[in-house]
Structures are given as structure tokens and as C-alpha cells.
Amino acid sequence: DGGITQSPKYLFRKEGQNVTLSCEQNLNHDAMYWYRQDPGQGLRLIYYSQIVNDFQKGDIAEGYSVSREKKESFPLTVTSAQKNPTAFYLCASSARDRGSYEQYFGPGTRLTVT
Amino acid sequence: AQSVTQLGSHVSVSEGALVLLRCNYSSSVPPYLFWYVQYPNQGLQLLLKYTSAATLVKGINGFEAEFKKSETSFHLTKPSAHMSDAAEYFCAVTGTSYDKVIFGPGTSLSVIP
């Protein structure tokens, strides 16, 4: 089955530590996205990538970093510079061809930093 | 600039009643529009999408939405609510260069038995 996997489902870290969230897709999609969701809030775009080895900042990129070395993978690092990292993180991908712009989402990673 | 508003952050309906979730959008280019559903602690699932092929779009789980250009609306409806419909619903529109999707703030749907 094709889809998007995010691991782990729950992640706990101490304040001041960097942490990397995994996102893998086997849908052969060119575009991938990272969103942050806080309780009762909508989705806020952190970073996105349209093609391998290229990515763009979203609305709330400060304190985060990404890489796109492979088409299938788009890991997100939450750095110690992120002031309030505790949140639910969602990864998505999109084909963006032939008018197919819908995004497909992974199950999410809930990060708790204490 | 592209934007989405969803009227009502929380909507309650009785089981078996009509579900109506409102979405209005602003777009400077021909839009693609989407409705997503999110259950607690899960990712978003695509309910339906508008791609200009037809103004009335049918989706999964008995939901449908109608694109009204004159009203810049894309409201989501379901004739009869089921308990399993209780979730968060997000309306979304493509960005100006179609490289992103802009999400609305979401509407939480409660279904009362």
C-alpha cells in the first residue's frame, strides 16, 4: 500500500536538545510539506519542498530545519532555538501534476519537550 | 492573496440531522478547493476536492460540497449525521502558484445522540 509514514508517533525530549522527525512516502510524489498543529488550531506551514535538494520556508520556519536528499524522505529537525516546540507535527506530500494538487497526510508525530 | 474562512469554530448537530459546514475562500487565480477531516491524534484525510470539472462534488462518507463562484463559497454538507462524523473539518484552497495549500482554521463537529 502506498502512503506516508511518520515516526515515532510520540516523542519526548528535554529542553535544549535537537530532535529529528522522520517522514517517508512511497507515493512517488515530488512535493512534501511539514505542518505544525497546536491544540484547537489549524495547520501552520513550516517548510516545503517541490523537488529533491530544494526546499522553501513556510510561515513559521524559525527554529526548524529540513533536508531533501531523496525523493521519498523529508526529515524535520526541531532545534533548540525553537521556543515552543511542543506540538503535533504533520507531514504531507502531493503529486502536483495534471491538476492533482491535493495533499496526502501522514499520521503525525506528537512532540513533547519538557 | 489566498485565504479561507470557516464560519463557526464549533458546530453541533443531532444524529440524523443535516450537516452544513461553511467555507468561503479568496483567490486571485482559479482555485482548487478541498475538504479534509481529522480525527483526534490522526492525520488529515481528504474528503473531497473541486478541480473545475463539476460544481457539485461528491466525496467519501456521504459528504458533498458545491462550488459557487459568485459567492466564493464551498460549503460541505451531509444529509444525515452519524456519530462517526464527529471530527475536525478543514477547508483548503490552492496557493497562487499552486505550490501550497492554504488551510482554514477548522470546524469541530459534534454529533448529539
Side-chain angles (χ1 to χ4, degrees), chain B:
Chain B
Q2 319 297 90
S3 67
V4 176
T5 56
Q6 293 183 239
L7 184 62
S9 60
H10 187 87
V11 171
S12 292
V13 299
S14 297
E15 190 174 15
L18 172 71
V19 175
L20 171 60
L21 303 182
R22 299 178 186 275
C23 172
N24 288 88
Y25 69 93
S26 172
S27 179
S28 57
V29 297
Y32 289 76
L33 293 154
F34 313 94
W35 274 100
Y36 287 86
V37 61
Q38 184 182 32
Y39 298 99
N41 292 313
Q42 296 186 23
L44 277 68
Q45 179 183 7
L46 181 68
L47 274 177
L48 48 80
K49 61 180 180 181
Y50 166 76
T51 60
S52 78
T55 57
L56 183 62
V57 181
K58 294 187 183 298
I60 62 172
N61 302 339
F63 284 95
E64 64 181 36
E66 186 172 9
F67 173 73
K68 292 186 177 181
K69 185 177 180 180
S70 60
E71 299 178 8
T72 61
S73 69
F74 190 56
H75 302 330
L76 182 71
T77 60
K78 182 175 180 178
S80 177
H82 191 272
M83 296 299 294
S84 61
D85 295 327
E88 189 84 15
Y89 291 81
F90 294 94
C91 182
V93 65
T94 40
T96 45
S97 55
Y98 302 101
D99 59 346
K100 295 184 289 186
V101 171
I102 313 302
F103 288 86
T107 296
S108 177
L109 176 66
S110 297
V111 181
I112 305 166

Side-chain angles (χ1 to χ4, degrees), chain A residues 38-101:
Chain A
D38 294 284
Q41 303 292 314
L43 279 68
R44 291 187 288 170
L45 182 63
I46 304 172
Y47 269 99
Y48 63 107
S49 168
Q50 304 296 297
I51 197 169
V52 173
N53 293 322
D54 189 35
F55 48 83
Q56 291 77 40
K57 293 182 179 180
D59 302 317
I60 56 165
E62 185 176 351
Y64 299 96
S65 66
V66 294
S67 63
R68 186 85 186 276
E69 297 177 0
K70 298 186 301 182
K71 187 175 185 178
E72 303 79 19
S73 178
F74 191 40
L76 173 74
T77 297
V78 184
T79 75
S80 57
Q82 168 51 233
K83 295 179 181 176
N84 187 17
T86 294
F88 190 50
Y89 290 88
L90 288 161
C91 179
S93 70
S94 176
R96 291 193 67 248
D97 61 1
R98 298 181 298 278
S100 182
Y101 299 107

Side-chain angles (χ1 to χ4, degrees), chain A residues 11-29:
Chain A
L11 191 54
F12 298 88
R13 281 295 182 271
K14 293 291 187 184
E15 194 173 323
Q17 294 178 338
N18 291 355
V19 59
T20 298
L21 281 60
S22 169
C23 178
E24 303 277 334
Q25 55 101 356
N26 61 3
L27 300 168
N28 199 34
H29 286 171

